[in-house]
Amino acid sequence: YPAVFCDEAQDFSNIELELISELSLFSKRKIEFKDVKRIPLAFAGDPLQTINPTGFKWETVKANFYEKVQNDFGRYERAQLNFIELNNNYISTKPIITFNNIIQLIRSLLFNIKDIIPQKSWFTSNYTINPTLKINDLSVIEEALLEEGKTRTIIIPCEEDQEKEYIQNRDSFLKQKAIINGEVSQNIWSPMNVKGLEYNTVIVYNFGEYLASSLSINI
């Protein structure tokens, strides 16, 4: 193909980068170095959305790019990736982005991460529904479990398809309330199982306590 555009770059492995390189028409052509930067090969990705436990960093993608793609296109000199970080959020509304920016601020302070910057909302409309943080208040979870139709989706801090194991071994409240006839309530999911889906109301449950315990930090 004369032009290759790839989304979800945060999950690329060396093998996939090699495949992408082979897909480019220009990997089969002799290219002058001055023209390497003009080859239409684009990656887009978000390290916070990675599903592979690779410890993704753009530096890793760059290193892999240099190792494989450079061999195809650069040959004599070091080709540079034109890296641009997007500051606009094109998905979420302003109240959600403001809430997430606060979470990111706490994360940057806890782990001394210097390069986190606030996102801006691409949308200009005002929305009346705002994210809410509840501490030690399980009533919203209980209401969601008892609600007819289960319109509120509960996301818990476990790996893909490990919802039942997490509830039985790590959460006494959900063990009493969310196991029905030996099965997990239909509106409780891991982050992996809801990735890419949309719901009217989402409850992100117990991640703070889980991470504080797992990482031995005092939030």
Side-chain angles (χ1 to χ4, degrees):
Y1 298 93
V4 180
F5 291 80
C6 302
D7 199 5
E8 308 294 350
Q10 71 274 2
D11 292 315
F12 288 166
S13 66
N14 285 340
I15 293 175
E16 288 159 328
L17 283 170
E18 184 170 348
L19 170 63
I20 292 166
S21 174
E22 292 296 319
L23 288 175
S24 173
L25 173 72
F26 297 99
S27 67
K28 307 295 187 296
R29 301 289 187 270
K30 183 177 180 179
I31 305 294
E32 295 293 332
F33 179 74
K34 63 183 178 63
D35 294 324
V36 170
K37 62 183 179 181
R38 300 172 61 188
I39 295 173
L41 181 64
F43 301 103
D46 181 355
L48 296 180
Q49 294 187 41
T50 184
I51 58 174
N52 291 332
T54 56
F56 170 85
K57 292 183 179 179
W58 274 113
E59 288 73 17
T60 305
V61 170
K62 288 181 183 179
N64 292 340
F65 173 85
Y66 292 141
E67 181 180 336
K68 171 55 191 169
V69 183
Q70 167 76 10
N71 288 337
D72 289 340
F73 299 133
R75 294 185 177 88
Y76 304 112
E77 300 183 58
R78 190 174 179 83
Q80 297 292 325
L81 278 175
N82 179 23
F83 174 79
I84 300 174
E85 183 170 356
L86 301 179
N87 297 328
N88 288 322
N89 186 310
Y90 300 92
I91 299 176
S92 300
T93 58
K94 187 173 181 179
I96 292 175
I97 293 170
T98 301
F99 182 84
N100 288 344
N101 282 338
I102 294 171
I103 299 297
Q104 290 285 40
L105 173 61
I106 295 171
R107 178 171 168 260
S108 69
L109 293 172
L110 280 174
F111 302 109
N112 195 30
I113 303 174
K114 303 295 186 182
D115 58 352
I116 296 179
I117 58 176
Q119 288 193 334
K120 300 175 183 178
S121 174
W122 183 252
F123 301 102
T124 56
S125 303
N126 292 322
Y127 292 84
T128 56
I129 299 176
N130 293 317
T132 302
L133 176 64
K134 293 182 178 289
I135 299 175
N136 296 328
D137 182 359
L138 297 175
S139 62
V140 66
I141 303 294
E142 194 160 17
E143 290 170 6
L145 292 170
L146 295 173
E147 180 186 42
E148 186 176 349
K150 300 288 192 295
T151 63
R152 286 177 280 186
T153 299
I154 303 168
I155 303 176
I156 60 176
C158 66
E159 299 298 326
E160 187 174 10
D161 298 328
Q162 298 297 310
E163 292 89 349
K164 187 174 182 179
E165 180 180 335
Y166 170 84
I167 291 172
Q168 289 180 329
N169 298 324
R170 303 197 61 161
D171 196 294
S172 57
F173 173 78
L174 288 181
K175 188 175 182 179
Q176 292 180 345
K177 302 289 184 178
I179 302 291
I180 303 172
N181 297 325
E183 297 298 328
V184 177
S185 178
Q186 63 188 28
N187 59 335
I188 298 181
W189 301 101
S190 70
M192 304 300 185
N193 280 329
V194 294
K195 188 177 190 299
L197 303 179
E198 295 186 8
Y199 301 95
N200 289 330
T201 304
V202 173
I203 303 169
V204 181
Y205 169 71
N206 218 30
F207 276 76
E209 182 177 331
Y210 175 80
L211 290 174
S213 173
S214 300
L215 300 174
S216 299
I217 57 175
N218 183 5
I219 293 182

